[in-house]
Amino acid sequence: MGSRASTLLREEEIEEIKKETGFSHSQITRLYSRFTSLDKGENGTLSREDFQRIPELAINPLGDRIINAFFPEGEDQVNFRGFMRTLAHFRPIEDNEKNKNAAPSEPLNSRTNKLLFAFRLYDLDRDDKISRDELLQVLRMMVGVNISDEQLGSIADRTIQEADTNGDNSISFNEFMKVLEKVDVEQKMSIRFLH
Amino acid sequence: LEEARRKSKNRRAKPQRKAKKTSDDEEDEDEDESPRKRGRKKKKRDSDEDEDDEDRSTKKGSKASRKKKAKDESEEESEEDNKKKKNGRNGGGKGASKKTKEEQNKDKKGKGNGKDKGKDKGKDKGGDKKKKGRYHVSYIQGIVYFKPLEEAQEFVERFEGALGKGKGRKWYAYKVMMTKILMGLPYGSIARKTVPRAEQDTAMDFSVLFDFNGYCKYSFIFYGYYNNDRMVGVLKFRLPLSYLLVGVGIFGYSLMVVVRTMARNSNEGGEGAEEGEFTFSWKMFTSWDYLIGNPETADNKYASITTSFKESIVDEQENQKDENIHLRRFLRVLANFMILCSLGGSGFLIYYVVKRSQDFAEMDNKELSWLEKNEVEFVMSLLGLVCPPLFETIAELEDYHPRIALKWQLGRIFALFLGNLYTFLFALFDEVNAKLEKEKVIKNETIWALNEYYANYSSFHNTTDIPPPNVHPADVVRGPCWETGVGIEFVKLIVSDMQVTYLTILIGDFARAVIVRFLNYCWCWDLEAGFPSYGEFDISGNVLGLVFNQGMIWMGAFYAPGLVGLNVLRLLTSMYYQCWAVMSCNVPHERVFKASRSNNFYMGLLLLVLFLSLLPVVYTIMTLPPSFDCGPFSGQEKMYDVVMETIENDLPAFIGNIFTYATNPGLIMPAVLLMILALYYLNTTSKGYQQANLDLKRKMQMARDEEKNRRNNKDSTNQVMKDLEALLPDRSLAPPPEEEEEPPPEVVVEKVAKSPKTKKKKGEKGEVDLQKEVSLAAENPKGPVTRAPGSRGAPAGNAKGTQPGKERSRGGASK
């Protein structure tokens, strides 16, 4: 853990982050220590290389895309606020929150927002649709050269057929949500804190 | 790869081993008390003589056997001391010097220890893996079907299948070896334990040993060795009774273990049954495990994802085939007929060969070639080798889904083995009867000779106090011991089976791989891709082989107790051997399918084999008379008389009465009836629960759909209305043509045929629900996945015009 007086977390910052993301005090400090341990350059921001040092991300086929999700458009460095903003999607949903119906602004870690995060990993061109080509790209990353291109194409087509309901040959966000409605996303896409 | 696997396995295995070790230490402490005390404890335990106590003392015996050799020797010495002090029953045998006795004992101990050590390792792994076996298999299923892990699965299944069940056998073997060696008479002290004079010349020849005659025959490996004294040694260990009870107890224990495993399996099978709707999408979006940090594991995960995609593709293809029912049926009937013929042929062949071997037995041993002597076993193993591929080629006619074809194949191999085994048994039976006849003759002769001796002696020395004839044990006339004969046959069978397996692997896999690899450079066509190529690792065939090996052990263990130890050794060696063979010479299957989902299938087979191997043994215990001069039951009318004797003599009178009452047919019949009724009742309730489960699932689905509809503000939330509309195939009757346009029944049928699981779920439901499922879920394409679906063009265009989110363009109009 670095001990750089200039970049220590101030109470006001913690409060702001708390309001924005909903993490608790201790969770924020815990994540801050993780942030600083990743920050090898000790300048208070993370670059893409810092993320790629994490083994789980390095071997993940979608690793690069996940890393990209942390960085705002066109930038190469992310500070702690940005880091937390992205991580907010993975905050575990507490029980008392589940019962609240439509909050004025949906919290960042609602199921819909979690799924939106995942959706954006696949939808590279940000047109709110996962097209056949994007699926093919993902398939190629997941499976590589072990399956012929023709078969990959058919798998992609089949996936679209399963999910597509409005016939536009691509998967919209609603269709994506429908596909994953039986998957326990709230539990799977959440950081498991120890307390 | 392997390291990671082994590490994870070891991690799991460690806590268990630790638990065992601590209990071991406790045991050790117990046993550290003076030998006398220990003796007394054991004695008390033995005098109870229930099966439970047998098992417990077996356990103690087994734990005891794991002590270091030094301790063993001290045990032995104390035994010797006790024997000397109490002047045990070894009256006649005391002629041999104490030193030789000790040597003999140590020899046997050495052998026993060697085997024990082997079993130790096996038992450790078996113990660990047995409990974790289930977990391992599902863990491995979850990971990958990649080649190394196919081998690992076999690794696990071998252990689980063989050593897990083998626990009972090991304990039995421990007990047999430890206690009987300790407390029985050493070699050479009495007649039955010695090689007859005639055979002594050849007894040590390797060929004779190899045939399990000679010294082997008269060793503790076989039945004939054991004395029939009611109680043996200082501790009054009831040898015959324990032999019988342990023999029967093995079966009971194995039965329990198998059934328990099956029950556990079927409970776990309920998970993962939920798929069906979004197979490909889920595979696409959710198959990666984000917690993987190790590159090797990542590679495995890649491979597993690949395999799972491939399997889905295969599944799809299978459902899209064109059907020509009549041709198929004809071909299937033809195939079955051919297979029946070959089964019959193999049975006949075995019978013929066994008959021939009986003729050979009449002839002098030296004139027969090795082939002729081992003909039976050779033929059986060969049949087991040749027929399965034959069945497979015939089965190509049938054209089933791979999973179903596999089940058929396994069933047929099962029938083959069963037929062979039972034919073998029947032929053996004839042999046994022949031996019994011979025995009668010899018995008469012996009695006559003895009478002669007494007459001579009394007339010569003129005394009435006649000492027993002072004949060297080797010269006593010996009857043929049919039990040992049977034991020998089984042992030979297993050995030849093992030899054939090893040879097959060596030639069929290794030599083939070498040839393909090196000859490929100078051959006209591509050997690797084309004809011979590399061998595939046949999981199911191997598992089946294990199952049958186990069956043979179960059958033979009663007559040849040493068989168990032999088999453990064989299993260990063959596991390492096959491990190496798979890693170096085999490639994974081309067609990929989850054969391992049918774990209960193999357990069921094992159970069946257990029953079938139980039958002959129990039959012989009940009907055939034991030989008069060998084995623990010699001199009795029937083997189970020992139990009767014990009940009469050792247990209090009222227990004897209870047994008499309990074995009354009038009591047994109602008990059997009651059990049948209970079975029926339980079966019905379980069916009822299954039905209730399905209904609940259906209700949950409907509730969810209702909510969806309400949320999405569909105008018709009434499922029944929708379904009624759906039942009308005629479009003119339905409201707006694109809305709720239901596909013609064929597509629905397609969806039902898609996955057998869905079919089962929907089988009982009416058509109403079918339609509902279809209307909400994505459609199943009519073409196989390898073809891109081109049929969506027209209706998609049509549908776009109408309200979004409402119509479901089926493409049903255009097929």
Side-chain angles (χ1 to χ4, degrees), chain A residues 6-24:
Chain A
S6 56
T7 51
L8 273 181
L9 213 47
R10 296 186 307 275
E11 273 305 314
E12 313 94 65
E13 263 195 80
I14 297 185
E15 283 304 313
E16 286 172 38
I17 296 177
K18 200 166 169 183
K19 234 180 290 171
E20 196 184 337
T21 62
F23 281 115
S24 76

Side-chain angles (χ1 to χ4, degrees), chain B residues 655-671:
Chain B
I655 295 193
N657 285 343
I658 292 182
F659 265 107
T660 333
Y661 291 142
T663 51
N664 187 358
L667 204 61
I668 291 189
M669 285 302 293

Side-chain angles (χ1 to χ4, degrees), chain B residues 518-566:
Chain B
F518 291 117
L519 225 50
N520 208 11
Y521 297 126
C522 47
W523 204 259
C524 10
W525 73 87
D526 187 359
L527 285 174
E528 283 186 2
F531 162 54
S533 83
Y534 296 106
E536 287 180 350
F537 182 69
D538 182 16
I539 293 188
S540 54
N542 274 301
V543 175
L544 213 61
L546 266 183
V547 167
F548 281 110
N549 181 41
Q550 196 56 52
M552 291 197 280
I553 300 291
W554 271 321
M555 265 199 266
F558 191 73
Y559 300 109
L563 186 61
V564 176
L566 216 67

Side-chain angles (χ1 to χ4, degrees), chain B residues 53-54 58 67 159 236 242 269 315 469 499 508 610 635 650 673 721 785:
Chain B
D53 281 341
E54 289 279 319
T58 325
K67 289 187 280 195
F159 273 124
K236 294 209 181 352
S242 82
D315 266 346
Q499 287 169 340
L610 174 57
D650 291 335
L673 210 60
M721 273 310 297
V785 179

Side-chain angles (χ1 to χ4, degrees), chain A residues 60 142 154 158 162 179 181, chain B residues 281-282 290 302 708 778 785:
Chain A
N60 191 326
M142 278 208 311
S154 313
R158 183 59 206 283
E162 276 178 358
V179 167
E181 72 176 333
Chain B
S281 311
W282 281 11
Y290 285 84
Y302 272 121
K708 272 304 123 53
V785 179

